[in-house]
Amino acid sequence: EPLLANYSDRKHSENPEFFDPIGLEVRPNTSEEILELVVEMDERVKGAFQPTQEDWELQQRYISILEENRENIPPFGDMQRLRMGAHFLRSNPALLD
């Protein structure tokens, strides 16, 4: 199964040469995923977000995938800045296998 990327369909249709060769499947986020991410972002801004050990481990697995595929993605200085929502990773850990 291809890796999941949460990019808009519009962005995919504008850049299929980026997404298709590296096996990214574009799927729209659910309203629950969007809500959970907004809540997390609000908590992070307020300094109230407390990631669990599981959250940290899932983020590291996600960053490892990015690092392994660095030559196939646009250049980003610090991959740690490309965090994925904690709830999304907790709900979809198999995507990191």
Side-chain angles (χ1 to χ4, degrees), residues 15-35:
N15 299 292
E17 68 281 355
F18 167 69
F19 298 103
D20 295 340
I22 58 176
L24 293 177
E25 180 181 340
V26 178
R27 295 183 190 171
N29 290 106
T30 66
S31 56
E32 177 187 329
E33 290 167 341
I34 294 168
L35 175 62

Side-chain angles (χ1 to χ4, degrees), residues 3 22 60-73 79 95-97:
L3 292 175
I22 58 176
Q60 293 309 306
R61 285 172 49 199
Y62 168 69
I63 297 298
S64 293
I65 291 169
L66 294 178
E67 290 287 354
E68 290 169 13
N69 293 281
R70 185 180 281 274
E71 70 279 354
N72 298 317
I73 60 176
M79 291 290 189
L95 295 173
L96 303 173
D97 293 333

Side-chain angles (χ1 to χ4, degrees), residues 2 8 10 18 24 27 30-31 46-47 55 58-59 63 65 80 87 89 95:
S8 71
R10 180 176 154 259
F18 167 69
L24 293 177
R27 295 183 190 171
T30 66
S31 56
K46 292 176 180 176
D55 293 336
L58 290 169
Q59 287 294 338
I63 297 298
I65 291 169
Q80 295 291 328
H87 178 265
L89 292 178
L95 295 173

